[in-house]
Amino acid sequence: MHRSHPRTKFRSGCPLNASVEILGDRWSLLIIRDMMLRGLRSYTQFLDSYEHIATNILAHRLKKLEAYGIIATHQDPLDGRKLIYTLTQKGMDLAPILTEMVLWAAAHEDTQNPELIRQIKKDKQKFIAAVRQKWVENSSHTD
Amino acid sequence: MHRSHPRTKFRSGCPLNASVEILGDRWSLLIIRDMMLRGLRSYTQFLDSYEHIATNILAHRLKKLEAYGIIATHQDPLDGRKLIYTLTQKGMDLAPILTEMVLWAAAHEDTQNPELIRQIKKDKQKFIAAVRQKWVENSSHTD
DNA sequence: TCTTTTCACTTGCAATTAACAAGTGATCTG
DNA sequence: CAGATCACTTGTTAATTGCAAGTGAAAAGA
């Protein structure tokens, strides 16, 4: 493991295509949401999240996200069984994408969490800054 | 066809989850990019695009995007064989998401199209406004 | 007019990926 | 030291994707 980068090249050089190849599936962004907005950090926490990802898919996605440098894995110093997953800087830089995706769905689909939407609409940049600040405070970013 | 909405409900009420369920695959956003940034409007044009989508997948994606109200389909008045695919307002509202995805990949992956990236970085809002203006001018939005 | 080409697909099949259920080994807790 | 918890792995089945070929309607060319 701990490949710094996957071996396959992208289908094209288009930056949007790169994003789609890295993030374009039904689970990756939800794992990142759980880390970024809900502060989740462990395998079982992700398993127990709203949408109920299958355990083998979760394992694969965590490996992929780590391979792309979006998350980092550390051992819990207090519990030898536990692993702690954290967002890297690259992972935190996904905040604007998640934010825009929340706004789009809130505007065009029937969704919940009006408080989150209200907060983002009120001041988008402030929201992103607050999320980033929380990450700076909580993380041991040795990555 | 022409269902106004797919019958299945989302896995959760989270707005990000809705976006992921609608857009989270390896092709949808690329079709939207081709329409939004490259002005493509027909089936064969999408087939011939950079990443070479398979024809059956393209047909499925177009149906899905239409079912979600992201694109609209019209007959070409000058050619009975041709169908013209256009973005709806809901589809145009994806511009900020695409823009942020381009910026993220440009910052963290090895990508091409530096001119596009320069333009977006220079003034993001102006870029989005220009894309939207082009759509207003070119589209027959009877949707 | 009649053949060929273009257009938007569909169909069939193989390969890949996702989802579900159960199990594993290391570690911790009571 | 028994049972629970942790982060997974290992089957197996279902669904999706990708590839190649084909189809029917409409247009263009000879």
Side-chain angles (χ1 to χ4, degrees):
Chain A
M1 264 339 94
H2 285 277
R3 240 182 297 106
S4 73
H5 232 263
R7 61 259 147 238
T8 45
K9 267 290 284 194
F10 298 130
R11 293 172 298 196
S12 81
C14 173
L16 183 73
N17 178 66
S19 286
V20 164
E21 289 201 43
I22 295 169
L23 305 166
D25 65 71
R26 297 176 80 74
W27 293 108
S28 295
L29 287 172
L30 296 182
I31 297 168
I32 292 160
R33 170 205 65 187
D34 282 347
M35 299 177 82
M36 197 180 292
L37 302 179
R38 303 181 62 219
L40 306 195
R41 324 177 115 231
S42 74
Y43 196 90
T44 40
Q45 286 179 321
F46 299 137
L47 274 186
D48 292 342
S49 190
Y50 306 128
E51 293 90 359
H52 301 111
I53 186 171
T55 173
N56 54 344
I57 309 287
L58 175 59
H60 283 139
R61 287 297 169 277
L62 290 172
K63 285 213 177 74
K64 185 179 175 184
L65 291 173
E66 192 185 16
Y68 275 113
I70 290 167
I71 65 173
T73 312
H74 302 283
Q75 286 235 325
D76 189 331
L78 304 172
D79 188 336
R81 294 168 305 177
K82 280 191 182 171
L83 292 179
I84 299 172
Y85 295 98
T86 56
L87 289 168
T88 61
Q89 180 66 55
K90 182 176 179 181
M92 268 310 298
D93 287 351
L94 292 167
I97 298 177
L98 297 219
T99 302
E100 295 297 345
M101 288 179 87
V102 165
L103 285 177
W104 181 80
H108 295 286
E109 299 291 331
D110 181 27
T111 62
Q112 295 171 357
N113 212 339
E115 173 52 25
L116 173 72
I117 294 155
R118 195 194 56 76
Q119 225 179 309
I120 295 175
K121 275 184 180 165
K122 193 181 159 198
D123 191 334
K124 200 193 292 181
Q125 294 317 314
K126 192 178 160 190
F127 174 80
I128 293 172
V131 168
R132 181 165 281 128
Q133 186 54 36
K134 208 173 70 182
W135 170 76
V136 168
E137 286 160 9
N138 288 358
S139 294
S140 48
H141 353 94
T142 40
D143 38 62
Chain B
M1 262 339 96
H2 286 277
R3 241 184 294 107
S4 75
H5 232 263
R7 63 259 147 237
T8 46
K9 268 289 284 193
F10 298 130
R11 295 172 297 196
S12 81
C14 172
L16 183 73
N17 178 65
S19 286
V20 164
E21 289 201 44
I22 296 168
L23 305 167
D25 66 70
R26 299 175 83 70
W27 294 107
S28 295
L29 288 172
L30 296 183
I31 296 168
I32 292 159
R33 170 206 65 187
D34 281 347
M35 299 178 82
M36 195 180 292
L37 303 180
R38 302 181 65 216
L40 305 195
R41 324 175 115 231
S42 74
Y43 197 89
T44 40
Q45 285 178 323
F46 299 138
L47 274 186
D48 292 343
S49 189
Y50 306 128
E51 294 88 1
H52 301 110
I53 186 171
T55 174
N56 55 343
I57 310 286
L58 175 59
H60 284 139
R61 287 298 168 275
L62 290 172
K63 284 213 177 75
K64 186 180 175 184
L65 292 172
E66 190 184 17
Y68 276 112
I70 292 167
I71 66 173
T73 311
H74 302 283
Q75 287 235 324
D76 190 328
L78 303 174
D79 187 335
R81 295 167 303 176
K82 280 192 183 170
L83 291 179
I84 298 172
Y85 296 99
T86 55
L87 289 167
T88 62
Q89 180 65 55
K90 183 175 177 180
M92 266 312 297
D93 287 352
L94 292 167
I97 298 178
L98 297 219
T99 302
E100 294 297 345
M101 289 179 86
V102 165
L103 285 177
W104 181 81
H108 296 286
E109 299 292 331
D110 181 26
T111 62
Q112 295 170 357
N113 211 339
E115 173 52 25
L116 172 73
I117 294 154
R118 194 194 56 76
Q119 226 179 308
I120 296 175
K121 275 185 180 164
K122 192 181 161 196
D123 191 334
K124 203 192 289 180
Q125 295 318 313
K126 191 177 161 192
F127 174 79
I128 292 172
V131 168
R132 179 165 284 128
Q133 186 54 36
K134 208 174 69 181
W135 170 77
V136 168
E137 286 161 10
N138 288 358
S139 292
S140 49
H141 354 94
T142 39
D143 37 61

